[in-house]
Amino acid sequence: MNHCPDLHGLMARMGVISFSFLQACGCSMKKSTGVTLIEVAKKAGVARMTASRALSGDGYITEETKAKVLAAAAELGYTPNALARAMKGGRTNVIGAVVNDLASTVINAYVTELSAEVRRHHMDLFIYNAVDDFSLANGQRLDQLLNGLWDGLIYVMPRMSDEYLAMLEQSSRPVVLINYCKQVTGLPVINGDNFNGARDATHHLIDLGHRRIAFIRGFGYTGQSEERERGYRAALDDAGIVFDPELVQQGDFSLLSGAEATERLLGMANRPTAIFAANDEMAAGSMQVLQAAGLTLPQQVSLIGFDDAPIASFVQPKITTLRHPIGAMAKAAVQELLLRINNEPGRRQRVEFPSEFLVRESTAAAPPHP
Amino acid sequence: MNHCPDLHGLMARMGVISFSFLQACGCSMKKSTGVTLIEVAKKAGVARMTASRALSGDGYITEETKAKVLAAAAELGYTPNALARAMKGGRTNVIGAVVNDLASTVINAYVTELSAEVRRHHMDLFIYNAVDDFSLANGQRLDQLLNGLWDGLIYVMPRMSDEYLAMLEQSSRPVVLINYCKQVTGLPVINGDNFNGARDATHHLIDLGHRRIAFIRGFGYTGQSEERERGYRAALDDAGIVFDPELVQQGDFSLLSGAEATERLLGMANRPTAIFAANDEMAAGSMQVLQAAGLTLPQQVSLIGFDDAPIASFVQPKITTLRHPIGAMAKAAVQELLLRINNEPGRRQRVEFPSEFLVRESTAAAPPHP
DNA sequence: ATGAAAGCGCTAACAG
DNA sequence: CTGTTAGCGCTTTCAT
């Protein structure tokens, strides 16, 4: 970039950019690509290969030559081109995290943990926010984009079509899925337990004397809401409580949808005494509506959420909820992915981490029968 | 990968991985690198270049040959290697967004908008969460990592050392900063207005009759808190109110720190009647403490935040706040970056977008003098 | 311990 | 319209 400073400056001052001219004088136009190894080698008076060895640190080399090369590199401000390096070695040391909705606090938590964990392995994490679902068309675009740029991919709570999943299974690229339980897949999956957690939570409500317990669903992209609902129903079955489909209301994981579902529940002749929402945002929305209706928590209504989102401990009373061990799961996901990247046999195909039940202030004994 | 399925399978079943063996039979070990252009060309019975043209879409080519190539590519499951492509063309069509704390809802909002905007330009956004600050050492690591992998970088609310900033300025790589007002820089900067917004907000309080107005600071990494404080003080000056340094309390942008700062304010002999927090999280923390102390908002105390974070409209009463036009800023940042990537003269070096003042429910007339 | 050659996968530039 | 040549920046392999 410093071959033609005067001309460059002159042209700039003239407000003119002449491509061929800049090319001719040695200024690369296509990209501010910086100095290359060959220039370092020339400056140090050695061969390209020697310079490479000096900078990479491996292979035999005299301390003296090494110092010479390093000095030249420093002086020229040399930075190796990751692209070229990866093309030879086949590794970029970059792992991709693919998500559908980065704004979700839960997804965010996973990504943050993944970032830290990947760093511990001296690699880096790039996050890709695929705003839309993974349809096959989108998927193929994504696939092309990803090809070569990273060593492996972690899909966090992916919303993917069956066709996209199938494509992923066929591709031999290293991939790990986090919290995908919509269907079985041959891909390695790290899941937090939803079924048993939800079952425990519902049992907790039953033990407190609740009989009419509502469930607010989220949407079904990853299958997590379904698993939670399955746990809810299993607990009812365990206790011999007849399932009332009216008590299950559809939401979409948003606060507003939790509020709306709760309004529908309050409109019922035979209201529930407890509500289990498939996530904390919906539980918070539910709480707003309950309190606005003059009901006190937990005396008159009990409430349970899921995920241990920040909002669960912000509201009054703090919401009883369930937590997945996000740190441990991120660690496991990276570990599995690395095994696959190194072509070692993956240890586990499908792991389920137990969830933790956090009893806080939103659950209490059912009010006496009217 | 399908050159030696039997042997591969056999070895796997034996629990043995022999690198040289796999190499010898044509299975690439370094990466599941997929089929290359040359294989597609061979299958289609054309030259490599013809295949390239057929797939890239430009250049003259018969429909017939094109179809042949596309068919071959589809059959082989060919995906172009982005690395190799970028190395020639010098473009990856990928833009990087670099942040320090992805968990921040504000940063998150910017990144989400950037994602969408970049997509509109038929490029993709990779997000890099640098958990630490940008020290020079970190920076150089980052710099190497980034080199070649993307066409340009957007730093969103970066916490960077002066040395790192200097390095960034020297480097000729396309870079844009969002919300960095800690110091002047030659780099293109897209800022939301903090000074005038804060001044307006404080004037609003003064107009409501408040005279003792507290300010809760955030930390000073980006200079935004300082600008907001400057606006606060300017409004006091405008109104001829003597500045009381005791009324400025240090926080760190977290909810908890806002709560703690408010406790200190409540401990004062001459309490403020209004509080202006440098962001909404701190305002929410402040509200918790105020309400816990039995004070009703906005009748007894007025409260203003900044950023229009989700929590501001979740709490009761909803917090009066200020909003930066995040969408427009993201758009501008991408536009400026693209100009730089294309080596066109950047239109604007430093842009400041006006902020919007959102009067909600947490501000009212000052209580009558005791 | 150093250097020369070859090539990763792709595409501009020039021939035919 | 298609093929050939050359080369992006780097490293692996082999020779010195």
Side-chain angles (χ1 to χ4, degrees):
Chain A
M1 226 45 195
N2 50 1
H3 303 293
C4 51
D6 293 333
L7 286 172
H8 199 139
L10 183 67
M11 306 276 300
R13 257 172 279 129
M14 287 162 60
V16 181
I17 301 279
S18 156
F19 184 83
S20 56
F21 197 65
L22 290 173
Q23 280 270 351
C25 72
C27 289
S28 163
M29 196 66 182
K30 50 192 202 85
K31 204 163 187 174
S32 27
T33 186
V35 329
T36 79
L37 190 54
I38 207 159
E39 301 176 48
V40 175
K42 201 177 293 172
K43 179 147 199 138
V46 294
R48 204 167 61 210
M49 198 49 229
T50 312
S52 169
R53 269 192 279 259
L55 291 161
S56 306
D58 50 36
Y60 302 105
I61 196 160
T62 331
E63 278 306 323
E64 194 189 324
T65 7
K66 188 169 178 175
K68 237 178 0 187
V69 172
L70 257 49
E75 198 169 340
L76 264 52
Y78 168 78
T79 7
N81 183 321
L83 244 50
R85 206 172 239 186
M87 223 167 114
K88 283 299 303 183
R91 284 283 172 81
T92 58
N93 282 322
V94 171
I95 286 178
V98 186
V99 303
N100 289 107
D101 177 19
L102 192 58
S104 148
T105 54
V106 187
I107 292 183
N108 209 295
Y110 279 100
V111 168
T112 301
E113 290 290 339
L114 284 171
S115 260
E117 181 59 23
V118 165
R119 190 79 41 87
R120 253 170 242 133
H121 290 275
H122 305 289
M123 305 179 75
D124 285 280
L125 189 79
F126 287 179
I127 300 147
Y128 185 80
N129 188 21
V131 187
D132 349 274
D133 304 347
F134 298 127
S135 65
L136 196 56
N138 275 334
Q140 273 162 349
R141 239 194 88 268
L142 188 59
D143 208 59
Q144 260 177 253
L145 170 68
L146 306 179
N147 193 10
L149 279 186
W150 24 36
D151 295 342
L153 279 182
I154 300 177
Y155 285 81
V156 183
M157 303 203 199
R159 302 183 193 171
M160 46 185 162
S161 64
D162 297 351
E163 303 84 47
Y164 184 71
L165 185 66
M167 191 203 73
L168 223 52
E169 279 178 320
Q170 286 187 339
S171 129
S172 57
R173 225 167 289 162
V175 162
V176 169
L177 270 43
I178 291 184
N179 280 350
Y180 185 81
C181 40
K182 195 176 144 206
Q183 61 178 92
V184 281
T185 159
L187 300 168
V189 179
I190 308 289
N191 278 345
D193 167 65
N194 296 297
F195 174 78
N196 291 296
R199 189 179 193 161
D200 291 350
T202 312
H203 268 304
H204 173 70
L205 291 171
I206 294 170
D207 291 346
L208 286 168
H210 295 275
R211 287 297 172 272
R212 285 192 65 72
I213 304 170
F215 181 81
I216 305 179
R217 277 186 187 139
F219 44 45
Y221 295 121
T222 64
Q224 292 204 104
S225 180
E226 287 76 359
E227 283 298 292
R228 290 165 191 187
E229 186 173 344
R230 222 163 53 77
Y232 155 77
R233 292 192 58 169
L236 294 185
D237 280 353
D238 295 343
I241 298 174
V242 180
F243 168 68
D244 178 358
E246 260 204 301
L247 287 175
V248 175
Q249 294 289 335
Q250 184 69 48
D252 62 6
F253 282 137
S254 76
L255 192 137
L256 185 63
S257 75
E260 290 170 347
T262 304
E263 267 160 12
R264 291 195 295 274
L265 290 169
L266 290 183
M268 290 173 59
N270 193 4
R271 287 178 174 180
T273 63
I275 298 176
F276 180 16
N279 79 342
D280 287 334
E281 266 76 27
M282 291 198 296
S286 181
M287 182 182 287
Q288 281 193 325
V289 169
L290 293 171
Q291 290 175 335
L295 296 161
T296 52
L297 279 71
Q299 290 78 10
Q300 294 178 274
V301 187
S302 284
L303 183 64
I304 296 185
F306 212 117
D307 288 341
D308 190 27
I311 201 166
S313 29
F314 174 74
V315 294
Q316 274 297 333
K318 296 193 171 80
I319 301 176
T320 293
T321 190
L322 292 124
R323 172 166 56 198
H324 285 166
I326 299 185
M329 289 171 65
K331 205 181 182 100
V334 171
Q335 201 175 349
E336 278 300 303
L337 188 64
L338 286 179
L339 288 176
R340 259 121 189 133
I341 289 173
N342 295 324
N343 260 309
E344 297 167 38
R347 204 171 318 158
R348 303 165 294 189
Q349 200 59 27
R350 191 167 183 287
V351 200
E352 198 165 81
F353 280 76
S355 52
E356 191 183 351
F357 187 36
L358 303 167
V359 179
R360 294 216 262 246
E361 307 161 356
S362 66
T363 44
H369 235 46
Chain B
M1 224 46 195
N2 50 0
H3 303 293
C4 52
D6 294 331
L7 286 171
H8 198 140
L10 183 68
M11 305 279 299
R13 257 171 279 130
M14 287 162 62
V16 180
I17 302 278
S18 156
F19 183 82
S20 57
F21 199 65
L22 290 173
Q23 280 269 349
C25 73
C27 288
S28 162
M29 196 67 181
K30 48 187 213 67
K31 203 165 189 175
S32 31
T33 183
V35 328
T36 79
L37 190 55
I38 206 159
E39 302 175 49
V40 175
K42 201 179 292 172
K43 178 145 197 143
V46 294
R48 205 167 61 209
M49 197 51 225
T50 311
S52 169
R53 268 193 277 258
L55 291 161
S56 306
D58 50 36
Y60 302 105
I61 199 162
T62 332
E63 277 308 321
E64 194 188 324
T65 9
K66 188 170 178 176
K68 239 181 358 192
V69 173
L70 258 49
E75 199 170 339
L76 264 53
Y78 168 78
T79 9
N81 183 321
L83 242 50
R85 210 172 237 186
M87 222 167 117
K88 281 299 301 182
R91 285 283 171 83
T92 59
N93 282 323
V94 171
I95 286 177
V98 186
V99 304
N100 290 106
D101 176 20
L102 193 58
S104 148
T105 54
V106 187
I107 292 184
N108 208 296
Y110 279 101
V111 167
T112 301
E113 289 290 339
L114 285 172
S115 259
E117 182 59 23
V118 166
R119 190 77 43 85
R120 254 170 243 133
H121 290 274
H122 306 289
M123 304 179 76
D124 285 281
L125 188 80
F126 287 179
I127 301 147
Y128 185 81
N129 187 20
V131 186
D132 347 274
D133 303 347
F134 300 126
S135 65
L136 197 56
N138 276 335
Q140 271 162 352
R141 239 194 89 267
L142 188 60
D143 209 60
Q144 260 177 254
L145 171 68
L146 305 178
N147 192 10
L149 277 186
W150 24 36
D151 296 341
L153 278 181
I154 300 177
Y155 285 81
V156 182
M157 302 202 201
R159 302 184 194 170
M160 45 186 164
S161 65
D162 297 351
E163 303 84 47
Y164 185 72
L165 185 66
M167 191 202 73
L168 224 53
E169 279 179 320
Q170 285 188 338
S171 129
S172 57
R173 224 168 289 160
V175 162
V176 170
L177 271 43
I178 292 184
N179 279 350
Y180 184 81
C181 40
K182 194 177 145 206
Q183 61 177 93
V184 281
T185 158
L187 299 169
V189 180
I190 308 288
N191 278 345
D193 166 66
N194 296 296
F195 174 77
N196 291 296
R199 188 177 194 163
D200 291 349
T202 311
H203 268 303
H204 173 68
L205 292 171
I206 294 169
D207 291 345
L208 286 167
H210 295 276
R211 286 297 171 271
R212 286 193 63 73
I213 303 170
F215 181 81
I216 305 179
R217 275 187 189 138
F219 44 46
Y221 295 122
T222 63
Q224 293 203 104
S225 181
E226 287 75 359
E227 283 298 291
R228 290 166 192 186
E229 186 173 345
R230 222 163 52 77
Y232 155 79
R233 291 194 58 169
L236 294 184
D237 280 354
D238 295 342
I241 299 173
V242 180
F243 169 66
D244 179 356
E246 260 204 300
L247 287 175
V248 175
Q249 295 288 335
Q250 184 70 47
D252 62 6
F253 283 138
S254 75
L255 192 137
L256 185 64
S257 75
E260 289 169 348
T262 305
E263 268 160 12
R264 291 195 296 274
L265 290 170
L266 290 183
M268 290 172 60
N270 193 3
R271 288 178 174 179
T273 63
I275 298 176
F276 181 17
N279 78 343
D280 288 333
E281 265 76 28
M282 292 197 296
S286 181
M287 183 182 287
Q288 281 192 327
V289 168
L290 293 170
Q291 290 176 335
L295 296 161
T296 51
L297 279 71
Q299 289 78 11
Q300 294 179 272
V301 188
S302 284
L303 183 64
I304 296 185
F306 213 118
D307 288 342
D308 190 25
I311 201 165
S313 28
F314 175 73
V315 294
Q316 274 298 330
K318 296 192 170 78
I319 301 176
T320 293
T321 190
L322 293 126
R323 172 167 57 199
H324 285 166
I326 299 186
M329 288 170 65
K331 205 181 183 102
V334 171
Q335 202 175 348
E336 278 301 301
L337 188 64
L338 286 179
L339 288 176
R340 261 123 187 129
I341 289 173
N342 296 324
N343 259 308
E344 296 167 40
R347 204 171 320 157
R348 302 166 295 190
Q349 201 59 26
R350 191 167 183 284
V351 200
E352 198 164 80
F353 280 77
S355 52
E356 192 182 350
F357 186 37
L358 302 167
V359 179
R360 294 216 262 245
E361 308 160 356
S362 66
T363 42
H369 236 45

